Amino acid sequence: MNTLEIAIYDALDAIPLVDSHSHINPHAPASSSLADLLGYHYYTELVHSAGMPREKIEQVGISSEEKVARLFESLHHIQHTVQWSWFEELSRELFGFNEDSIDRSNWQLLYDSAERCMQRPNWSQTVLERSHVTRIFLTNDFDDGLDDFDTHRFIPCLRTDDLVFHLQSATTQQRLSKCTRSHLQSLDDLDRCLGSLFVHFTKHNARACAISLPPWFTPRRIDAKDSTAQSAFRRLLQGPLELNEEDRHTLSYWVFWRLAEYCSEFSLPFDLMIGVNRKVYPEGVYQGQDLYDSRWSMIQYAELLNAFPTVKFPISVLASVNNQELVDYAWIFPNVIAHGHWWYSNTPSFIQHDLRARIDAIPRNKLIGYYSDAYKLEFILPKYRMYKRILASVLAQTVCNERGKSESFAIELGQQILRGNVDEIFFPNG
Amino acid sequence: MNTLEIAIYDALDAIPLVDSHSHINPHAPASSSLADLLGYHYYTELVHSAGMPREKIEQVGISSEEKVARLFESLHHIQHTVQWSWFEELSRELFGFNEDSIDRSNWQLLYDSAERCMQRPNWSQTVLERSHVTRIFLTNDFDDGLDDFDTHRFIPCLRTDDLVFHLQSATTQQRLSKCTRSHLQSLDDLDRCLGSLFVHFTKHNARACAISLPPWFTPRRIDAKDSTAQSAFRRLLQGPLELNEEDRHTLSYWVFWRLAEYCSEFSLPFDLMIGVNRKVYPEGVYQGQDLYDSRWSMIQYAELLNAFPTVKFPISVLASVNNQELVDYAWIFPNVIAHGHWWYSNTPSFIQHDLRARIDAIPRNKLIGYYSDAYKLEFILPKYRMYKRILASVLAQTVCNERGKSESFAIELGQQILRGNVDEIFFPNG
Amino acid sequence: MNTLEIAIYDALDAIPLVDSHSHINPHAPASSSLADLLGYHYYTELVHSAGMPREKIEQVGISSEEKVARLFESLHHIQHTVQWSWFEELSRELFGFNEDSIDRSNWQLLYDSAERCMQRPNWSQTVLERSHVTRIFLTNDFDDGLDDFDTHRFIPCLRTDDLVFHLQSATTQQRLSKCTRSHLQSLDDLDRCLGSLFVHFTKHNARACAISLPPWFTPRRIDAKDSTAQSAFRRLLQGPLELNEEDRHTLSYWVFWRLAEYCSEFSLPFDLMIGVNRKVYPEGVYQGQDLYDSRWSMIQYAELLNAFPTVKFPISVLASVNNQELVDYAWIFPNVIAHGHWWYSNTPSFIQHDLRARIDAIPRNKLIGYYSDAYKLEFILPKYRMYKRILASVLAQTVCNERGKSESFAIELGQQILRGNVDEIFFPNG
């Protein structure tokens, strides 16, 4: 890093963060042992990919220490990766572990010192403070209780994959009936249930509705009373075997369109995370089974974007080859917001490539730079640091060097990308 | 920029340009107020995307000054973008405006000094000279008059989107009948009309036929006397409601294939600008409604490229993900020429990425570096400068640093890419 | 290159190479005149693309010298390209030709000195030594004799395109019958023939089965006794005109699935080279007719990858836009190995882009850095050097600068990528 990049980085690193997407459990936000950290799918799936059998990694009943010991038999295969660099950085910054390398020879030391840290009272609070995080968005199931944690620190977000894609499952229907205290006998009932979820979530400070979507998904307007949807719903009530693929798609699109309508009615941004195929590798480790087909286009969302001009759509794409479309739809559509660097595109070469394209051409109020996607608080620090280094470097190169703007201009822009827009978009009234 | 890059840039910046694609109006090539410049869709669509209602931007009857005042209420959202850097650079270079920033606090000063410049006699000539531009290709409607401007400075180019895609419109038919003084009663008539357009355009120094094409377009050989096309044409004469989608495609392909035949007969290059979907956002501002689906392939053009080996096809692609296919088809097909960096790919990160790939692998006589796509002369200077900086940097890095060639070698190559090939391809006889 | 890059490069350049994919003829591995080198399709197709008629390049009966003379009439069009840099580097390193440029004015000198070198006894051996190559994989037709060359230096590889895609050709059937000494009357016969090829090849030290695949190919499990496949095979025996497209696909998938089963049984890696369309430009020069459609997805291989967990699949993709999918499938699937930079992606800008993404995220034991794809030994040196420079630079930037690893860590990783993994994957028992 040159002087300019360092100056920008330092300014960005001082900003209190609001993390707009995570999988943090508000009841256990931090880890209780190294196994929680190395059990993150980024490590288990890579260790499995490098050759360790799933059964060995996921054997039931082994201790946390045994699990970590086993993983370290294979973790040397990924010491060069960015995923490993997150673990190294958090070990250094949060646990004070300063060895050159973390490997079979010294992990026990780290394990023990991490355990000591985690057992301290207020460990979560300590991690949040060191990470400069003030608020974190959750990923809530539609029937999550929201009244037993601090919803001003842990912001509820209504995740809707189950409603759109798994409505045919009896479990989903039962959960929905139960949490909304209603019988699901018709589309009207379903519509009312969805509405009551929005009432419930917004009452508890929810700031977004969110969903991950497969590449084939192409939302289309379906009237709430649509007869084809009603027939499909009747067959759904008769049991999942009565539903054909077209029925399932009709119901998916029906529910999705209702969600967008409720987002409009309740002024909730609708986070779209586009491009994932689930269970492409069903023999993979837990959460290490999903991949994708990058052949989809933002044009599949044209009808939606036109139909809901007042709904803000923070959009994440799974593959970097879809980034230019995202950039250009955000350039043209007022309601499209480029949102973070998701999952398989959350590596430095893709972040740099995608971020440069965004900064070149999108209005500055339509870029949400990053979110952690973390399951445990400890990962927020290293992931955001990775991003902030790249952001500082891209700002220095494009805005300062190429376009002659000042350091302070770059810092202000970086602040807006890193924090300001999260506030504006998700907390428009403060 | 390092010393080598500066040396290359300076040499390139001294070259008199021939701009191979623009939308300049030869009767009013330069702007008459700042509203002409900031009314460019690159600004209105970004300001709209950043949040300003279309109605406010496009309100009928407001003065130029009021329009500019309104735009500046929102233009701070794009001060970091490359699009804004064009405006800043032209304001500095053409109007002598040297403030650090152009914003709500000082635009009136710029407005006034720009107006004084534009009111000078020969302002167009002044801009051309400062921009080192000697010739500019136009984008002419097929029924444009071509006898009332200097066609050696403003080179006519037969734009054919209306003929290929809007033949079903009564207006198109009437315009075509009128300008060719013929009745359109059969495909034979239509064929003759097309031929007479080529006679008319080439007589007036036209140097290219051009068209923009949607992603689904897949040209196929249709015989001039093809019976399916004849039936479709009969239905077209009965009125647009008689045409189904297949008819429309048949006629599109029929006309397109005739155009290629006439390009062959009249030795005109056929500029293909591939990949745009029109009116994806119909509520957008004027010219800010078009987007795209990047899922198309150069292989859709294989039949065409094989059928017309003597026609030169300068090809532009809308999205950077299509650039490698363009590179590789230009690497193999003698008649494919990589042409500029179009529209949504005309931003530094994509230009750099796409240009490196082209310079790595395409014969040097098959690269036309850049065109302005400008509507007003003032934009030629900053757009070309952006490109020349990137070209200098890419040449220094690839040809000099990686492949050990001399500075003079890089400069000669840059000259050929920037100017020489335009002459060779569009003016083969001088 | 900075000091760190040079140190890494020097260490990598000292490594004895095993080239995991080439088209070397073990009976004539080196060239006998400059025409062998410049007759490489990378030059003939570019010279043709730059304007020279195929007939002039491929005229029958002209001497080697005349052929080279003709090519030099046009080779100045590609002096800036990376393909030409390979020729310049080999001329310098192998023939001691140190002129600044090789062109019409001095090629005769090079021709003569190359000829003198090539006529020396052991020229092949000399080239191998200077290139640090110890073993080279071949591309063998299924009926190649394998008993008349050193199969420990020139490693047989069973190339199977003919079996999967050209079984309907009488020639293919006759070659197969002949080399396996069997009659092909049923699928069972065919199955036995395939098995006997694996016996034959593995007996002669074959270390891989390989195939290039078109974009549409989507392998699916077809049982060896499948009745649809049996019907299709009966029609094939009746003559190629009896086969429809579905039959051909069924048989392609049937053969392909058997090959995967035999790879499993014989513990052979199965090299998949995905994405090429053959004869897109049928009027092109020899081997200069193939292009592609980049719209395919790794998801087309999900069923295969799940079905054969014990088969290693070193996978090459033709276009850089498919690289992220390759990275991510290698990240998740234990049996997917990223393999080299193939053909149209074997240029510096794509190698750099694709390699960075791989090094960011894939376990280190699943990256085979490079293969030469060469037809003549002389090209191995410059192609690998190009790669090693990029590898050194990417390692310095990502692993050292971004992730703080030491120079020796980077060198060890580079050694594994360049050589170690080839040994582990193709020679697991040494």
Side-chain angles (χ1 to χ4, degrees):
Chain A
M1 277 185 145
N2 60 36
T3 323
L4 175 61
E5 290 170 336
I6 291 169
I8 298 174
Y9 174 82
D10 285 345
L12 298 180
D13 197 40
I15 298 171
L17 299 169
V18 174
D19 183 351
S20 59
H21 175 65
S22 85
H23 295 266
I24 296 292
N25 174 356
H27 305 295
S31 301
S32 58
S33 88
L34 224 52
D36 281 353
L37 294 173
L38 291 175
Y40 193 18
H41 70 85
Y42 280 86
Y43 303 113
T44 55
E45 70 202 13
L46 283 166
V47 159
H48 175 56
S49 172
M52 188 176 286
R54 184 183 62 161
E55 297 69 26
K56 184 164 179 182
I57 299 167
E58 299 189 339
Q59 190 180 328
V60 177
I62 57 174
S63 68
S64 291
E65 210 160 331
E66 172 64 16
K67 181 170 191 129
V68 171
R70 289 184 183 187
L71 291 170
F72 269 102
E73 290 173 32
S74 206
L75 281 166
H76 60 282
H77 289 304
I78 68 161
Q79 280 186 332
H80 62 290
T81 63
V82 71
Q83 298 96 328
W84 189 247
S85 77
W86 303 334
F87 182 71
E88 289 185 329
E89 186 152 12
L90 75 86
S91 297
R92 199 164 49 238
E93 297 294 321
L94 299 177
F95 308 128
F97 194 78
N98 286 313
E99 306 282 314
D100 274 357
S101 150
I102 311 170
D103 53 36
R104 277 174 282 196
S105 74
N106 61 4
W107 69 264
Q108 187 76 53
L109 250 137
L110 173 60
Y111 189 95
D112 296 340
S113 73
E115 197 161 59
R116 280 192 301 277
C117 292
M118 292 164 176
Q119 286 171 351
R120 280 183 208 142
N122 299 320
W123 174 243
S124 291
Q125 188 56 36
T126 306
V127 177
L128 285 169
E129 281 163 15
R130 295 225 194 126
S131 312
H132 302 298
V133 183
T134 59
R135 291 169 161 185
I136 301 168
F137 281 60
L138 309 178
T139 293
N140 293 101
D141 282 335
F142 63 81
D143 54 346
D144 272 1
L146 304 172
D147 50 8
D148 51 356
F149 58 87
D150 175 359
T151 58
H152 288 273
R153 164 142 291 172
F154 298 107
I155 311 293
C157 167
L158 173 57
R159 182 71 174 243
T160 56
D161 301 47
D162 285 347
L163 297 167
V164 172
F165 296 108
H166 301 123
L167 198 62
Q168 70 274 24
S169 138
T171 312
T172 307
Q173 294 168 38
Q174 288 156 9
R175 288 168 52 207
L176 187 55
S177 291
K178 188 175 170 200
C179 78
T180 59
R181 290 180 195 125
S182 54
H183 287 282
L184 277 177
Q185 300 297 339
S186 67
L187 279 188
D188 277 355
D189 294 342
L190 179 56
D191 199 354
R192 269 189 299 274
C193 284
L194 298 177
S196 70
L197 297 178
F198 277 76
V199 171
H200 174 68
F201 269 76
T202 51
K203 204 179 75 180
H204 288 91
N205 201 33
R207 296 303 178 136
C209 180
I211 189 167
S212 76
L213 298 156
W216 56 264
F217 200 72
T218 307
R220 52 187 163 85
R221 179 194 302 275
I222 303 190
D223 188 77
K225 311 289 187 194
D226 181 82
S227 62
T228 313
Q230 288 182 335
S231 311
F233 190 75
R234 276 193 298 275
R235 282 190 286 279
L236 174 135
L237 291 179
Q238 289 157 21
L241 296 175
E242 300 299 315
L243 280 184
N244 59 30
E245 193 180 7
E246 202 187 319
D247 287 336
R248 278 199 305 275
H249 287 191
T250 299
L251 290 172
S252 290
Y253 292 135
W254 186 94
V255 173
F256 185 83
W257 207 263
R258 294 289 86 64
L259 294 174
E261 289 174 338
Y262 283 116
C263 283
S264 175
E265 186 180 333
F266 286 82
S267 298
L268 271 197
F270 197 176
D271 292 350
L272 308 182
M273 311 179 80
I274 306 176
V276 62
N277 290 104
R278 301 291 178 183
K279 293 201 185 304
V280 174
Y281 175 45
E283 297 301 312
V285 299
Y286 175 64
Q287 295 184 326
Q289 305 174 7
D290 304 335
L291 279 157
Y292 61 91
D293 176 344
S294 56
R295 293 169 301 174
W296 66 274
S297 170
M298 283 291 299
I299 209 165
Q300 295 167 218
Y301 292 83
E303 186 174 356
L304 178 78
L305 300 173
N306 278 295
F308 296 97
T310 64
V311 176
K312 291 188 184 305
F313 293 98
I315 295 179
S316 301
V317 298
L318 195 52
S320 177
V321 292
N322 305 118
N323 182 64
Q324 192 182 2
E325 285 199 11
L326 176 57
V327 167
D328 298 338
Y329 280 69
W331 165 341
I332 292 296
F333 276 98
N335 52 348
V336 174
I337 292 146
H339 192 200
H341 299 271
W342 187 33
W343 201 343
Y344 293 114
S345 287
N346 186 26
T347 65
S349 66
F350 293 122
I351 295 174
Q352 186 183 35
H353 176 273
D354 296 350
L355 180 59
R356 283 208 51 168
R358 295 178 192 181
I359 286 181
D360 274 353
I362 305 180
R364 62 192 286 169
N365 58 343
K366 301 184 71 197
L367 289 170
I368 297 178
Y370 199 69
Y371 49 76
S372 75
D373 215 356
Y375 284 76
K376 288 294 174 186
L377 289 185
E378 289 86 348
F379 281 106
I380 294 177
L381 183 148
K383 285 183 161 192
Y384 264 97
R385 285 230 183 135
M386 171 191 70
Y387 176 71
K388 286 182 278 197
R389 285 183 201 110
I390 300 170
L391 178 58
S393 153
V394 169
L395 288 171
Q397 192 183 338
T398 59
V399 170
C400 300
N401 296 346
E402 292 177 16
R403 302 208 256 290
K405 299 294 181 191
S406 65
E407 181 185 306
S408 63
F409 181 97
I411 289 172
E412 276 176 44
L413 177 58
Q415 287 169 330
Q416 183 172 2
I417 289 172
L418 197 58
R419 169 66 193 270
N421 289 331
V422 181
D423 292 342
E424 287 292 322
I425 288 160
F426 293 107
F427 304 88
N429 306 313
Chain B
M1 277 184 145
N2 60 36
T3 323
L4 175 61
E5 290 170 337
I6 291 168
I8 298 173
Y9 174 81
D10 285 345
L12 297 180
D13 197 40
I15 298 171
L17 300 169
V18 173
D19 182 350
S20 59
H21 175 63
S22 84
H23 296 266
I24 296 291
N25 173 357
H27 305 296
S31 301
S32 59
S33 87
L34 224 54
D36 281 354
L37 294 172
L38 291 176
Y40 193 18
H41 70 86
Y42 280 85
Y43 303 112
T44 55
E45 70 202 14
L46 283 167
V47 158
H48 176 56
S49 172
M52 188 176 286
R54 182 182 64 160
E55 297 69 26
K56 184 164 180 183
I57 299 167
E58 299 189 339
Q59 190 180 330
V60 177
I62 56 173
S63 68
S64 291
E65 211 161 329
E66 171 63 18
K67 181 170 190 130
V68 172
R70 289 183 183 187
L71 291 170
F72 269 102
E73 289 172 31
S74 206
L75 281 165
H76 60 282
H77 288 305
I78 67 162
Q79 280 186 332
H80 63 290
T81 64
V82 70
Q83 298 96 327
W84 188 247
S85 77
W86 302 335
F87 182 71
E88 289 186 327
E89 185 152 13
L90 75 86
S91 296
R92 199 163 51 238
E93 297 295 320
L94 299 176
F95 308 128
F97 194 79
N98 286 313
E99 306 282 314
D100 275 357
S101 149
I102 311 170
D103 55 34
R104 278 174 282 197
S105 74
N106 62 3
W107 69 264
Q108 187 76 51
L109 249 137
L110 172 62
Y111 189 95
D112 296 340
S113 74
E115 197 162 58
R116 280 192 301 277
C117 292
M118 291 165 178
Q119 285 171 350
R120 280 183 209 142
N122 299 319
W123 173 244
S124 291
Q125 189 56 37
T126 305
V127 176
L128 285 168
E129 280 163 15
R130 295 225 194 127
S131 312
H132 302 300
V133 183
T134 60
R135 290 170 161 183
I136 302 169
F137 281 61
L138 309 178
T139 292
N140 294 102
D141 283 334
F142 63 81
D143 55 345
D144 272 2
L146 304 172
D147 50 7
D148 51 357
F149 59 86
D150 175 358
T151 59
H152 288 273
R153 164 143 290 170
F154 297 109
I155 312 292
C157 168
L158 173 56
R159 183 69 174 244
T160 56
D161 300 47
D162 285 345
L163 297 166
V164 172
F165 296 108
H166 301 122
L167 198 62
Q168 70 273 24
S169 137
T171 313
T172 307
Q173 295 169 38
Q174 288 155 9
R175 288 168 51 207
L176 187 56
S177 291
K178 188 174 169 200
C179 78
T180 60
R181 292 181 193 125
S182 54
H183 287 281
L184 279 177
Q185 300 296 340
S186 68
L187 279 188
D188 277 355
D189 293 344
L190 179 56
D191 200 353
R192 269 191 298 275
C193 283
L194 297 177
S196 71
L197 297 178
F198 277 77
V199 170
H200 173 68
F201 268 76
T202 52
K203 204 179 76 181
H204 288 91
N205 201 34
R207 296 302 179 137
C209 179
I211 189 167
S212 74
L213 297 156
W216 56 265
F217 200 72
T218 306
R220 52 186 162 86
R221 179 193 301 276
I222 303 191
D223 187 78
K225 311 290 188 191
D226 181 82
S227 62
T228 312
Q230 288 183 334
S231 311
F233 191 74
R234 276 195 298 275
R235 282 190 287 280
L236 173 135
L237 291 178
Q238 290 158 20
L241 297 176
E242 301 300 314
L243 281 183
N244 59 30
E245 193 180 9
E246 201 188 321
D247 287 336
R248 279 199 305 274
H249 288 190
T250 299
L251 290 173
S252 289
Y253 292 135
W254 186 94
V255 174
F256 185 82
W257 207 264
R258 295 288 86 65
L259 294 175
E261 289 176 338
Y262 283 115
C263 283
S264 176
E265 185 181 333
F266 286 82
S267 299
L268 272 196
F270 196 175
D271 292 350
L272 308 181
M273 310 178 82
I274 306 176
V276 61
N277 289 105
R278 301 291 178 182
K279 295 202 184 303
V280 173
Y281 175 44
E283 297 301 312
V285 299
Y286 176 65
Q287 295 183 328
Q289 306 174 7
D290 304 335
L291 279 157
Y292 60 92
D293 175 344
S294 57
R295 293 170 303 173
W296 67 272
S297 170
M298 282 292 298
I299 209 164
Q300 295 168 217
Y301 292 83
E303 186 174 356
L304 177 78
L305 301 173
N306 278 295
F308 295 97
T310 65
V311 175
K312 292 188 183 304
F313 292 99
I315 294 180
S316 302
V317 298
L318 195 53
S320 177
V321 292
N322 304 118
N323 182 64
Q324 192 183 2
E325 285 200 12
L326 176 58
V327 166
D328 298 337
Y329 279 69
W331 164 341
I332 292 297
F333 277 98
N335 51 348
V336 174
I337 293 147
H339 192 200
H341 299 270
W342 189 33
W343 200 342
Y344 292 114
S345 287
N346 186 26
T347 65
S349 67
F350 293 122
I351 294 174
Q352 186 183 34
H353 176 272
D354 295 351
L355 180 60
R356 284 209 50 170
R358 295 178 191 181
I359 285 181
D360 274 353
I362 305 180
R364 59 193 287 170
N365 58 343
K366 302 184 71 198
L367 289 170
I368 298 178
Y370 198 69
Y371 50 75
S372 75
D373 216 355
Y375 284 75
K376 290 293 174 187
L377 290 185
E378 288 87 349
F379 281 105
I380 295 177
L381 183 148
K383 285 184 161 190
Y384 263 98
R385 285 231 182 133
M386 169 190 71
Y387 176 71
K388 285 182 278 198
R389 285 183 202 110
I390 300 170
L391 178 58
S393 152
V394 169
L395 288 170
Q397 191 183 339
T398 60
V399 170
C400 299
N401 296 346
E402 291 178 17
R403 302 209 257 290
K405 299 295 181 189
S406 65
E407 180 185 309
S408 64
F409 181 96
I411 289 171
E412 275 175 44
L413 177 57
Q415 288 168 330
Q416 183 172 1
I417 290 172
L418 197 58
R419 169 66 193 270
N421 289 331
V422 181
D423 292 343
E424 286 292 323
I425 287 159
F426 294 107
F427 304 88
N429 305 312
Chain C
M1 277 184 145
N2 60 36
T3 322
L4 175 62
E5 289 170 336
I6 291 169
I8 299 173
Y9 175 82
D10 286 345
L12 298 179
D13 197 40
I15 298 171
L17 300 169
V18 174
D19 182 351
S20 59
H21 176 63
S22 86
H23 296 266
I24 296 291
N25 173 356
H27 305 295
S31 302
S32 59
S33 87
L34 224 53
D36 281 354
L37 294 172
L38 292 175
Y40 193 18
H41 70 86
Y42 280 86
Y43 304 112
T44 55
E45 70 202 14
L46 283 167
V47 158
H48 175 56
S49 172
M52 188 176 286
R54 182 183 63 161
E55 298 70 25
K56 183 164 179 181
I57 298 167
E58 299 189 339
Q59 190 180 330
V60 177
I62 56 172
S63 68
S64 291
E65 210 161 331
E66 171 64 16
K67 181 169 191 132
V68 171
R70 288 183 184 187
L71 291 170
F72 270 103
E73 290 172 31
S74 206
L75 282 166
H76 60 282
H77 289 303
I78 68 162
Q79 280 185 333
H80 62 290
T81 63
V82 71
Q83 298 97 327
W84 189 247
S85 77
W86 303 335
F87 182 71
E88 289 185 329
E89 185 152 13
L90 75 84
S91 296
R92 199 163 50 238
E93 297 295 321
L94 299 176
F95 307 129
F97 195 79
N98 286 312
E99 305 282 314
D100 274 358
S101 149
I102 311 171
D103 55 35
R104 277 174 283 197
S105 74
N106 61 4
W107 70 265
Q108 186 76 53
L109 249 138
L110 171 61
Y111 189 95
D112 297 340
S113 75
E115 197 162 59
R116 280 193 301 277
C117 292
M118 291 165 177
Q119 286 171 351
R120 281 184 207 142
N122 299 321
W123 174 243
S124 291
Q125 190 56 36
T126 306
V127 177
L128 285 168
E129 281 164 16
R130 294 225 195 127
S131 313
H132 303 298
V133 183
T134 61
R135 290 170 161 184
I136 301 169
F137 281 60
L138 308 178
T139 292
N140 294 101
D141 282 335
F142 64 79
D143 55 347
D144 271 2
L146 304 171
D147 51 8
D148 53 357
F149 59 87
D150 176 358
T151 59
H152 289 272
R153 165 142 291 171
F154 297 108
I155 312 293
C157 168
L158 173 56
R159 183 72 174 242
T160 57
D161 300 46
D162 284 346
L163 297 167
V164 172
F165 296 107
H166 301 122
L167 199 62
Q168 71 273 25
S169 138
T171 312
T172 307
Q173 294 168 38
Q174 288 155 10
R175 288 168 50 206
L176 187 56
S177 291
K178 190 174 166 199
C179 78
T180 60
R181 292 180 195 126
S182 55
H183 287 280
L184 279 177
Q185 299 297 341
S186 68
L187 278 188
D188 277 355
D189 294 342
L190 179 55
D191 200 353
R192 270 190 298 276
C193 284
L194 297 178
S196 71
L197 297 179
F198 277 77
V199 171
H200 174 67
F201 268 76
T202 51
K203 203 180 76 182
H204 287 93
N205 201 35
R207 295 302 178 137
C209 180
I211 189 167
S212 74
L213 297 156
W216 56 264
F217 200 72
T218 306
R220 51 187 163 86
R221 180 193 302 274
I222 303 190
D223 187 78
K225 311 290 186 193
D226 180 81
S227 62
T228 313
Q230 289 183 334
S231 311
F233 190 75
R234 276 195 296 275
R235 282 190 286 279
L236 173 135
L237 291 178
Q238 289 158 21
L241 297 175
E242 301 299 315
L243 281 183
N244 60 30
E245 194 179 7
E246 201 187 319
D247 287 335
R248 278 199 306 274
H249 288 189
T250 299
L251 290 172
S252 290
Y253 292 135
W254 186 94
V255 173
F256 185 84
W257 206 264
R258 296 288 86 65
L259 294 175
E261 289 175 339
Y262 283 116
C263 283
S264 176
E265 186 181 334
F266 286 82
S267 298
L268 271 197
F270 197 174
D271 293 349
L272 309 182
M273 310 178 81
I274 306 175
V276 62
N277 289 104
R278 301 291 178 183
K279 295 202 185 303
V280 173
Y281 175 44
E283 298 301 311
V285 298
Y286 176 65
Q287 295 183 327
Q289 305 174 7
D290 304 335
L291 279 156
Y292 60 92
D293 176 343
S294 56
R295 293 170 302 174
W296 66 272
S297 169
M298 282 293 297
I299 209 164
Q300 296 168 215
Y301 292 83
E303 186 174 355
L304 178 79
L305 300 173
N306 278 295
F308 296 97
T310 65
V311 176
K312 292 188 183 305
F313 292 98
I315 294 180
S316 302
V317 298
L318 194 54
S320 178
V321 292
N322 305 118
N323 182 65
Q324 191 181 3
E325 284 199 11
L326 176 57
V327 166
D328 298 338
Y329 280 70
W331 164 342
I332 292 297
F333 277 98
N335 51 348
V336 174
I337 293 146
H339 192 200
H341 300 270
W342 188 33
W343 200 343
Y344 292 114
S345 287
N346 185 26
T347 65
S349 65
F350 294 122
I351 295 174
Q352 187 184 34
H353 175 273
D354 296 351
L355 180 59
R356 283 208 52 169
R358 294 179 193 182
I359 286 181
D360 274 354
I362 305 179
R364 60 192 287 169
N365 59 343
K366 302 184 72 200
L367 289 170
I368 299 178
Y370 199 68
Y371 50 75
S372 75
D373 216 356
Y375 284 76
K376 289 294 175 187
L377 289 185
E378 289 87 348
F379 281 105
I380 294 177
L381 183 147
K383 285 183 160 190
Y384 264 98
R385 286 231 182 133
M386 170 190 71
Y387 175 71
K388 286 182 278 198
R389 286 183 201 109
I390 300 170
L391 178 58
S393 153
V394 169
L395 288 170
Q397 192 183 337
T398 60
V399 171
C400 300
N401 296 347
E402 293 178 15
R403 301 208 257 289
K405 300 294 182 190
S406 65
E407 180 185 307
S408 63
F409 181 97
I411 289 171
E412 276 175 45
L413 177 58
Q415 286 169 330
Q416 183 171 2
I417 289 172
L418 197 57
R419 169 64 192 271
N421 289 332
V422 181
D423 292 344
E424 287 292 322
I425 288 159
F426 295 106
F427 305 88
N429 306 314

